[in-house]
Amino acid sequence: LSFSTNQNAYKVYAGGYAGPVGGNTTLNLLGGSVMSAFAGACNANINGYTTAIIGHEDNYGNKRDAVKGLPYVAEAVFGGNDFGGVIEGNKLWKTDNDKKVRSQSYVKYVSGEIGEGIYGGSYGSYLYTDTENNLYPQKPLSSPTFATILTKQDGDDIVTNTFVDIASQSESEKDIIGSAYPNLTLVGGGGRGYKGLPDYVEVAQTYVLLRGKNRTTPMAHRIYGGGNLSSVGETLVEAYSGNYSQIFGGTHGVLTETATDLDASYDNTTSTINVYAGIDNDEMDIFGAGANSGTTESTTINLYGGKVKNVYGGSLAEGYTAKTVVNVPDGSNLQANALFGGALGEDEG
């Protein structure tokens, strides 16, 4: 599915509504305006893999034209499905920086204005358990998910269910992820999910690659290896370049303010964040866990270089992290204000 300038829609899907997809799906979001966009389907299994490409290099600078204009997404782009269904296939991707990544979904951000966020996973922000009010006459196949935990094959560097690639080289402030609410917007390797039910769109493996332009303003405000209201298994974030306000290994979650909030735990098994010399932002904080995490078994932050503000092995506001490692290896050219093995422990501003 290709979507271009002067086209408008509420939702766009590369797949179908409830009919299964026998092969792969690809969404090319070159322009126009949509509320939400899905590389997958609404409520159907996909036998292959999913792909979403957001924007085009022709958007950069003064080269915006009638065919490849500035895409606008009011809410979010998802690498997975909306309501239900399973993504079953996978593909080996070879990126411009020689990464070989095998994944079931792939979302590449090149340009455009995204109001709320980009997710490698699925939406699934529905109360599926509400049967009394007959909210969903089309019964979901399942909350949207991915078929399996992948294992490495010959030639694979990384295997993951979801792969989010922030590759934009734009210097324009019009190309941004999170224009609506800077403190609440995100790029997430996981899914969105539903408050209080973190297992709905749980993802076993996620990978977020950050290789955007080192410009003066943030390209994205918050980067999560995990998702929004969902648990994750193993997450990997690799930061090579680009301007971002905060990077988290885990998921966003919800600050526990009521007894109901205490019943939900937005967990993360393990997270790894690798920071390289191309990162140049002395206002950026890094957290090994999430913002309002549940339990994280272990976090590892490898600081191979770059310029950042503060680094925390744990979470931002709350959450239990069993083990943290903050590693500055020999030969690193890291510049940082402070390094903490533990968490920040402050409410979000």
Side-chain angles (χ1 to χ4, degrees), residues 182-196:
N183 289 335
L184 298 174
T185 55
L186 60 105
V187 171
R192 192 185 190 284
Y194 193 90
K195 181 180 178 181

Side-chain angles (χ1 to χ4, degrees), residues 37-297:
F38 299 85
C42 179
N43 184 29
N45 291 346
I46 296 175
N47 182 253
Y49 57 85
T50 65
T51 306
I53 308 297
I54 308 166
H56 195 278
E57 288 86 350
D58 283 353
N59 290 339
Y60 297 163
N62 296 319
K63 298 188 295 180
R64 305 179 192 277
D65 60 39
V67 177
K68 302 183 179 71
L70 176 69
Y72 171 70
V73 180
E75 292 185 353
V77 178
F78 297 87
N81 286 357
D82 179 4
F83 187 53
V86 180
I87 296 169
E88 300 171 345
N90 65 79
K91 179 182 177 178
L92 179 62
W93 301 92
K94 297 180 181 180
T95 68
D96 297 339
N97 63 343
D98 297 325
K99 288 284 181 183
K100 297 178 181 179
V101 184
R102 185 174 299 280
S103 69
Q104 294 192 271
S105 76
Y106 176 54
V107 182
K108 182 179 182 181
Y109 174 73
V110 182
S111 67
E113 181 182 350
I114 313 296
E116 294 186 11
I118 291 175
Y119 297 87
S122 298
Y123 181 66
S125 191
Y126 302 98
L127 187 57
Y128 297 97
T129 55
D130 190 338
T131 57
E132 294 182 1
N133 297 313
N134 195 29
L135 294 179
Y136 314 117
Q138 175 66 49
K139 182 180 179 181
L141 299 170
S142 68
S143 56
T145 187
F146 295 84
T148 185
I149 297 176
L150 301 181
T151 57
K152 283 190 177 182
Q153 302 178 25
D154 289 342
D156 294 350
D157 292 331
I158 296 168
V159 292
T160 176
N161 296 117
T162 69
F163 177 15
V164 177
D165 183 5
I166 305 303
S168 176
Q169 299 302 306
S170 172
E171 296 184 357
S172 172
E173 293 184 8
K174 293 182 179 180
D175 295 309
I176 184 171
I177 306 163
S179 60
Y181 311 101
N183 289 335
L184 298 174
T185 55
L186 60 105
V187 171
R192 192 185 190 284
Y194 193 90
K195 181 180 178 181
L197 297 167
D199 295 336
Y200 269 11
V201 290
E202 183 175 6
V203 179
Q205 304 159 308
T206 73
Y207 176 50
V208 178
L209 174 61
L210 305 175
R211 54 189 182 111
K213 184 76 172 180
N214 279 333
R215 65 191 202 189
T216 56
T217 57
M219 183 172 297
H221 296 288
R222 289 188 167 190
I223 307 294
Y224 289 89
N228 192 338
L229 302 172
S230 59
S231 293
V232 288
E234 300 176 0
T235 71
L236 172 60
V237 179
E238 293 200 297
Y240 284 90
S241 60
N243 189 334
Y244 320 98
S245 301
Q246 296 172 316
I247 296 176
F248 299 85
T251 200
H252 178 71
V254 175
L255 189 66
T256 53
E257 297 176 339
T258 67
T260 302
D261 294 334
L262 289 170
D263 292 336
S265 184
Y266 303 88
D267 298 335
N268 176 199
T269 306
T270 62
S271 72
T272 302
I273 301 174
N274 296 329
V275 181
Y276 297 94
I279 291 294
D280 184 13
N281 182 0
D282 57 10
E283 294 297 319
M284 182 177 72
D285 291 332
I286 297 174
F287 301 87
N292 308 292
S293 303
T295 297
T296 303
E297 293 183 12

